[in-house]
Amino acid sequence: MALNLGQQITTPTPPNIGSPGASYDERFQSQSFGALNTYFSKLTALFAALFGPRGGKWINNPYGAFQDGTDQVAANTTTAYAITFDTTDFSNGVTLSDSSRLNVSQAGIYNLQFSIQFKNTTNDTQDVDVWFRKNGTNIDKSNSRFGMQARKSSGDPSHTIAALNFFVNLAANDYIEIMWRPSDVGVNIEHFAASSTPTRPAVPSVIATIAFVSNLSVETA
C-alpha cells in the first residue's frame, strides 16, 4: 500500500548565500538577509507544527500491519511453529519475509500486538502457548498460555481469540516471529470467509501490528 507522502512536512533547504566580496555590497547583504529570514521562518513553522498540538501527526515513525487468510495447523505438540502471514496491510520501515519474519530497518523499541483466532475440535479443554523469537532465538519470559473450552458438539468447535501486546528492543535489520504450540493437534488457527445475513467481513486467522515506540534503549537490571 502506497504511503500518503503529501501529508508529511518537509525540511527547509538551507539557502545558498555565497561569499561576500572584499567590500560592503548593499545588494548582497539585502539578498542574504532575505534568504536567511525566509529560511528561519520556515524552520520556525516546522518546529511549531512538530511541537504544537497534534504535532505527532507529522512524525514518520516505522510501523507495519500484517494478516493471514489461511488456516494454520500443528502436526504435533513437540514442535514450535511460526505464525505465518500472507498479506501486508501497511508497511513503513517494517517488512515481511519468509512468511513469518517481521523485519525492522530502524533500531529502537517496538510495540508488537497480535490477535490469533484459535479453534478447538477436541472433547477436552486445551491450552496453547504463544511466544516471541528474535532472530531465531526465544525471547525470555515472552510466553503466554491461553486456555480453550472443549468443542460444543461434533462439527461445532469452540473458539477463542488470543491477543496481547509486547515491547521488544530491536536493532536495525533484526526480525521477530510469533511462535505457537498447542497441547493437542486438535487445536489450530482458523480463518473465516465473509458471511451474509447480515453481511459480515472475513475473519483473518491472524492479525499482527508492530509500531516504533522509541529509539532509546533502556536495559533493565
Side-chain angles (χ1 to χ4, degrees):
M1 182 174 292
L3 295 176
N4 185 3
L5 298 179
Q7 294 298 312
Q8 298 181 14
I9 57 178
T10 57
T11 304
T13 302
N16 184 13
I17 296 175
S19 302
S23 60
Y24 174 77
D25 185 330
E26 181 178 357
R27 182 178 179 182
F28 174 82
Q29 291 292 106
S30 178
Q31 290 176 342
S32 297
F33 279 110
L36 286 172
N37 182 63
T38 300
Y39 176 65
F40 286 116
S41 294
K42 290 181 179 179
L43 279 180
T44 300
L46 183 149
F47 289 133
L50 285 176
F51 298 113
R54 296 174 298 280
K57 70 178 181 178
W58 302 113
I59 299 176
N60 186 15
N61 283 335
Y63 56 83
F66 311 90
Q67 61 176 275
D68 187 62
T70 66
D71 295 344
Q72 301 185 37
V73 300
N76 59 68
T77 63
T78 58
T79 300
Y81 295 92
I83 296 287
T84 58
F85 305 90
D86 64 5
T87 301
T88 297
D89 293 316
F90 300 97
S91 177
N92 181 34
V94 182
T95 56
L96 174 67
S97 68
D98 296 336
S99 299
S100 66
R101 297 180 178 184
L102 305 181
N103 309 269
V104 301
S105 59
Q106 171 70 45
I109 297 174
Y110 286 80
N111 182 16
L112 174 59
Q113 302 185 70
F114 67 74
S115 172
I116 306 171
Q117 179 71 67
F118 284 110
K119 76 171 180 179
N120 179 15
T121 63
T122 76
N123 290 320
D124 302 308
T125 59
Q126 302 293 345
D127 294 323
V128 57
D129 288 357
V130 181
W131 70 98
F132 301 100
R133 279 184 179 174
K134 181 169 75 171
N135 301 330
T137 301
N138 290 337
I139 298 178
D140 189 35
K141 300 178 182 178
S142 70
N143 194 19
S144 294
R145 181 163 295 172
F146 299 90
M148 300 195 64
Q149 297 294 321
R151 70 180 184 181
K152 289 166 278 187
S153 64
S154 177
D156 189 7
S158 65
H159 299 92
T160 192
I161 286 286
L164 58 75
N165 71 291
F166 185 76
F167 275 33
V168 60
N169 184 17
L170 299 172
N173 302 316
D174 278 353
Y175 69 87
I176 191 164
E177 295 175 290
I178 306 172
M179 312 299 297
W180 71 291
R181 173 265 180 192
S183 58
D184 189 281
V185 295
V187 174
N188 56 45
I189 302 172
E190 186 177 32
H191 83 289
F192 296 92
S195 305
S196 59
T197 319
T199 301
R200 288 159 286 164
V203 178
S205 55
V206 184
I207 298 172
T209 62
I210 181 168
F212 180 86
V213 174
S214 173
N215 64 351
L216 300 178
S217 173
V218 179
E219 298 293 337
T220 58

